[in-house]
Amino acid sequence: MAKILMVLYPDPVDGFPPKYIRDSIPTIDSYPGGSSTPTPSGIDFTPGEMVACVSGALGLKKWAADNGHELIVTSDKEGENSEFEKYLPEADVVISQPFWPAYLGKDRLEKAKNLKLAITAGVGSDHVDLTEAMKRNITVAEVTYSNSISVAEHAAMTILNLVRNFVPAHRIVTDEKGWNIADAVKWSYDLEGMDVGVIAAGRIGRALLKRMKPFDVNLHYYDLYRLDPQTEKELGATYHESVEDLMRSVDVVSIHSPLTSDTYHMVDEKMINSMRRGSYIVNTARAEIVVRDDIVKALESGQLGGYGGDVWYPQPPAEDHPWRTMPRNAMTPHTSGSSLSAQTRYAAGTREILEDFFAGRQLRDSYIIVQGGALAGTGAKSYTTDGKASPGSTGK
């Protein structure tokens, strides 16, 4: 009935399926705020299995075959001769991930003459040129909430890793086979008492603020929309009217804003230099919110105490990308939102979106980014029109 082109990250290097270290995952029926987890008609995998790689196919192989859909699954997404480019002109649906994005800029959308639906298996649709999708009446959807807590947990972990100097200390006993305590602790501090700020207090940002509160830190946040007074009071969080004011006021900042024309390269040398010397930046949002080489320069000079990024541009990055080797980094390959727990939810949510779309049912409002030629649902809250929608992760 439809040609579904799915771009997922490659299988584990040791083969598929992997051996798991746990037999199950907790059952989560609802998200903070009361919204239910995905409700497809069923799933064809065991929760906790790896389904986000090519062989896992988001657990959709049987569903697609049973419903007469042609399912093409690949990790080959770069270049004119890639599998993605080969099948894109005929695809009715494209499914991609924030972790292994199939970038749908204007040029590719012009080739995708049959494309009706672009799904992000996870959260974050900035790899799609939303303005162009609106012009072409392509529906863009994502599995909102599915991995928000996963990312918040990762951000909390990264903050502690940086402040406590965990990565260098770990390397002393593993890579160096040593026991030099002085080297391990020379850049190690307590988080307690520090000023910790969040840029964008949406689902993930609020979850991080909640998780940081027990560490007895001073919480700060910036968002386009101020939290209600009761939530501010419960968190003990101070609101800042600008990103610039927040950055001057904290020791640690965690970025959770979407990539838009307004946030593209927002954190540059000038902003970094306005921060307290030795501050830390955690970025689990999008790499292009910061200026790549300005981060490297600030780490080398000591203006930044550390940078923990889970996002890169492009993804995957080149082997010689400077973030791989810059000092005091806690970089990861965009794993924050793709835990086995999160995979269960965003795979189920992807199937829910497909089932509703092909049945002609309205998608969950929270899943919708673009619909009917306009930003809608979550998209209307996360992005803006007048050229300020996602630039398709090109910065153009």
Side-chain angles (χ1 to χ4, degrees):
M1 293 174 63
K3 179 168 286 189
I4 302 172
L5 176 56
M6 191 184 311
V7 180
L8 303 178
Y9 49 70
D11 290 354
V13 294
D14 293 333
F16 184 90
K19 294 181 180 179
Y20 302 103
I21 60 173
R22 290 187 59 84
D23 298 323
S24 63
I25 61 171
T27 299
I28 306 296
D29 295 320
S30 63
Y31 301 120
S35 177
S36 70
T37 52
T39 54
S41 62
I43 57 173
D44 298 313
F45 61 91
T46 300
E49 291 181 341
M50 180 175 288
V51 291
C53 60
V54 169
S55 292
L58 295 181
L60 291 172
K61 290 180 180 178
K62 183 178 185 302
W63 172 85
D66 289 348
N67 288 275
H69 301 303
E70 181 182 359
L71 182 65
I72 301 163
V73 189
T74 182
S75 63
D76 183 18
K77 64 188 181 75
E78 302 297 341
E80 294 182 0
N81 297 318
S82 67
E83 291 286 293
F84 179 56
E85 290 279 2
K86 176 181 177 181
Y87 292 107
L88 181 61
E90 303 172 4
D92 299 289
V93 178
V94 168
I95 301 171
S96 179
Q97 304 165 298
F99 332 105
W100 191 263
Y103 294 106
L104 284 170
K106 181 178 180 180
D107 291 347
R108 277 180 164 172
L109 288 176
E110 287 177 346
K111 297 177 184 177
K113 302 299 185 183
N114 295 336
L115 188 61
K116 304 172 185 67
L117 174 65
I119 302 175
T120 300
V123 176
S125 298
D126 52 86
H127 57 282
V128 180
D129 186 326
L130 300 183
T131 301
E132 192 66 21
M134 286 185 268
K135 291 179 182 178
R136 297 179 177 278
N137 200 28
I138 296 168
T139 297
V140 181
E142 63 182 42
V143 193
T144 308
Y145 300 123
S146 61
N147 53 9
S148 298
I149 299 302
S150 313
V151 176
E153 288 186 359
H154 187 101
M157 173 190 71
T158 306
I159 289 171
L160 287 167
N161 274 336
L162 289 175
V163 175
R164 295 307 303 262
N165 201 42
F166 174 81
V167 174
H170 178 67
R171 286 175 176 162
I172 285 172
V173 296
T174 55
D175 298 351
E176 300 173 16
K177 312 301 181 191
W179 193 261
N180 193 323
I181 296 174
D183 283 339
V185 302
K186 67 182 180 182
W187 291 325
S188 178
Y189 300 88
D190 289 347
L191 184 62
E192 181 184 20
M194 284 191 175
D195 291 292
V196 177
V198 164
I199 297 176
R203 297 177 302 275
I204 301 171
R206 286 196 305 275
L208 179 61
L209 288 169
K210 181 179 178 181
R211 282 153 179 75
M212 287 288 100
K213 182 177 172 58
F215 285 94
D216 292 327
V217 297
N218 305 307
L219 293 174
H220 305 254
Y221 78 99
Y222 164 78
D223 196 279
L224 291 173
Y225 307 99
R226 188 168 181 171
L227 297 174
D228 63 87
Q230 182 61 31
T231 301
E232 264 190 15
K233 182 178 179 181
E234 290 173 357
L235 291 170
T238 299
Y239 176 68
H240 294 260
E241 294 186 352
S242 69
V243 173
E244 291 80 6
D245 185 59
L246 173 77
M247 297 290 272
R248 290 192 295 266
S249 306
V250 299
D251 303 289
V252 182
V253 67
S254 190
I255 302 171
H256 299 286
S257 53
L259 177 64
T260 69
S261 298
D262 287 335
T263 62
Y264 174 75
H265 283 185
M266 175 177 67
V267 180
D268 58 9
E269 182 176 24
K270 180 180 178 181
M271 185 174 286
I272 294 169
N273 286 340
S274 75
M275 301 179 73
R276 299 167 182 169
R277 191 181 74 84
S279 294
Y280 308 89
I281 295 177
V282 172
N283 184 6
T284 54
R286 289 296 179 265
E288 289 188 298
I289 292 172
V290 306
V291 179
R292 186 194 74 172
D293 293 343
D294 289 356
I295 294 293
V296 177
K297 182 178 178 180
L299 288 168
E300 290 176 345
S301 72
Q303 174 60 23
L304 280 182
Y307 180 85
D310 185 53
V311 284
W312 308 64
Y313 182 77
Q315 290 189 173
E319 290 186 6
D320 62 352
H321 194 294
W323 284 1
R324 294 183 185 271
T325 54
M326 61 188 178
R328 298 185 307 284
N329 83 75
M331 301 300 298
T332 50
H334 206 164
T335 56
S336 63
S338 199
S339 64
L340 295 178
S341 306
Q343 288 181 36
T344 292
R345 295 187 292 273
Y346 67 68
T350 300
R351 176 162 166 174
E352 179 186 338
I353 291 169
L354 288 168
E355 288 179 346
D356 287 346
F357 185 81
F358 287 122
R361 296 188 294 263
Q362 176 63 23
L363 306 184
R364 284 199 205 198
D365 190 65
S366 61
Y367 289 169
I368 300 169
I369 304 301
V370 170
Q371 187 178 63
L375 294 169
T378 293
K381 300 172 184 176
S382 300
Y383 300 95
T384 58
T385 54
D386 301 324
K388 292 185 178 181
S390 163
S393 284
T394 65
K396 297 178 182 177

